[in-house]
Amino acid sequence: MDIHILSVDSVINFIPDMQLALQLQYDNISRSFAFLARYLQSPGTGRFTAVFRVLCVKRSTVSSLTAIAFVSWMVWGPQPAAAYALVNAVAVLIVACPCALGLATPMSIMVAVGRGAQKGVLVKDAEALETLARVETLAFDKTGTLTEGKPQVTVIAPAAGINEDDLLRVAAALEAASEHPLAAAILAVAHERGVSAQPVGDFKAAHGRGVAGTVDGLLAALGNEPHMRSFGVEFSESDGVQRAREEGATVVYVAHGGRLMGWIGVSDPVKPSAQSTVDALHAEGLKLAMITGDNAVTAAAVASRLGIDLVHAGVGPEGKRDVIQGLQSGGLVAFAGDGVNDAPALTQANVGIAMGTGADVAIESAGLTLLKGDLEGILRARRLSRATLKNIKRADDPDLYDRKRKALIHGQSGFTMIGTPDDVADELERLSAAG
């Protein structure tokens, strides 16, 4: 049988590309090895666990043999000695099957991170990429996640003896210092009507409830019913409020000097991709939930329109975290959100998914980020997660190993054991397209 020596030129030409790829993805590769250890030790990995144990036992032996091969070829090998030493040292690593598995995993994840970025999905945590394929429940925030996050004022309802401009003047004063998506809508309509925002003092924001401050020397507040009650404001819910909520509008009350000035209805249209995404996730067998600080009637209207299974309304930031914790008793949970209010839930969830159009703290708290806030990115990320795990598992395929070993003997590049980054990318593309 003819034995062919590895092509030196093919390996030397491949090294700069691999070096650049590894340098650009250094952090992701570090996370990948930690992910590999967790994955191989998890229940149900079968032969993977045995391979991992062999890798641990033989680690020092393989390292020693690699060093001996490199030094031997450097000292006694033909010229160019450095090239032959490198080729044969790599050959020792490749022939050792456990090392092939160790290389296949970080390379698959490295390429998946790049593919995800091309598809608008930023992977910050390799563990999130692994877990997403096994998630059983996906929960959404409402405003800015399921909806556009570009609300518009649809109703201005002042109390008796109050005109609309006075109501808007106090509301605009409070919202001028707020970062909530609804604030922009109220400020926009005030600007259109020529109502200027008054200076506000002692401004305070109660996340998930509302805002408060001093306007014209009197305490003013804007927010939901619990927020109004915390300031001792008395009011009764009108038929107009109920109708606005049934149409999916968010109602905010405005009080000044302890007196209710009226309410403002703000509608936020559902994202065009929301319905198709919800339908596709249902088809994959996921249970879907909505967790929002909005009123129960408004939340139920949006959830009913989209076909979401569970609704948790009137929930603050810490409450969202508690709801996620409760859902986790039934399996792995992912949560998608965009605001400051969502940060605790994003951290608590097994997989946190932030909208790239949202708050920085939400993006920082999540393992995955949808760069354009497109909900279809969740589907792309989930398919990429499944494809990555399938590609990693192929490294433990005995038939694949035998084919690659024969290719190695017949002089192909040493990295043919796992494929070049382009090979892995093509395979991920094929697996991802297959669902």
Side-chain angles (χ1 to χ4, degrees), residues 296-332:
V297 177
T298 301
V302 175
S304 176
R305 186 183 311 167
L306 294 175
I308 291 176
D309 306 308
L310 303 173
V311 179
H312 298 270
V315 183
E318 300 303 322
K320 289 185 177 183
R321 182 190 62 191
D322 294 340
V323 171
I324 293 294
Q325 194 170 10
L327 292 173
Q328 285 173 324
S329 62
L332 296 176

Side-chain angles (χ1 to χ4, degrees), residues 159-338:
I162 305 292
N163 63 52
E164 292 186 1
D165 286 351
D166 287 340
L167 175 61
L168 277 176
R169 183 176 61 84
V170 175
L174 292 170
E175 295 289 47
S178 173
E179 297 179 351
H180 196 279
L182 300 184
I186 293 175
L187 289 172
V189 73
H191 178 74
E192 290 173 2
R193 298 192 177 201
V195 177
S196 58
Q198 300 297 311
V200 60
D202 299 326
F203 178 82
K204 295 180 181 179
H207 294 304
R209 301 182 69 173
V211 294
T214 302
V215 179
D216 295 335
L218 296 175
L219 180 63
L222 179 149
N224 55 23
E225 293 97 326
H227 192 58
M228 291 293 109
R229 292 192 183 98
S230 68
F231 289 94
V233 177
E234 296 182 0
F235 65 94
S236 59
E237 188 175 290
S238 66
D239 294 338
V241 169
Q242 186 70 12
R243 283 196 302 270
R245 285 174 172 162
E246 289 173 352
E247 293 171 0
T250 298
V251 172
V252 292
Y253 293 93
V254 182
H256 189 220
R259 177 189 176 191
L260 182 69
M261 296 188 71
W263 59 273
I264 300 173
V266 185
S267 294
D268 190 7
V270 171
K271 288 181 178 178
S273 60
Q275 188 65 70
S276 60
T277 300
V278 168
D279 292 343
L281 291 171
H282 268 143
E284 292 189 5
L286 268 70
K287 182 167 63 175
L288 304 182
M290 177 196 293
I291 309 174
T292 177
D294 213 335
N295 179 271
V297 177
T298 301
V302 175
S304 176
R305 186 183 311 167
L306 294 175
I308 291 176
D309 306 308
L310 303 173
V311 179
H312 298 270
V315 183
E318 300 303 322
K320 289 185 177 183
R321 182 190 62 191
D322 294 340
V323 171
I324 293 294
Q325 194 170 10
L327 292 173
Q328 285 173 324
S329 62
L332 296 176
V333 177
F335 177 74
D338 75 311

Side-chain angles (χ1 to χ4, degrees), residues 32-94:
S32 299
F33 277 112
F35 151 69
L36 173 65
R38 288 191 300 271
Y39 186 76
L40 296 180
Q41 290 175 317
S42 63
T45 54
R47 287 175 294 151
F48 266 41
T49 302
V51 171
F52 181 68
R53 289 172 180 170
V54 171
L55 175 59
C56 294
V57 172
K58 291 189 175 181
R59 179 176 53 190
S60 58
T61 303
V62 173
S63 299
S64 300
L65 291 175
T66 302
I68 291 172
F70 183 85
V71 172
S72 299
W73 281 88
M74 280 292 293
V75 175
W76 296 292
Q79 294 299 323
Y84 278 100
L86 179 60
V87 169
N88 286 280
V90 170
V92 172
L93 290 176
I94 297 303

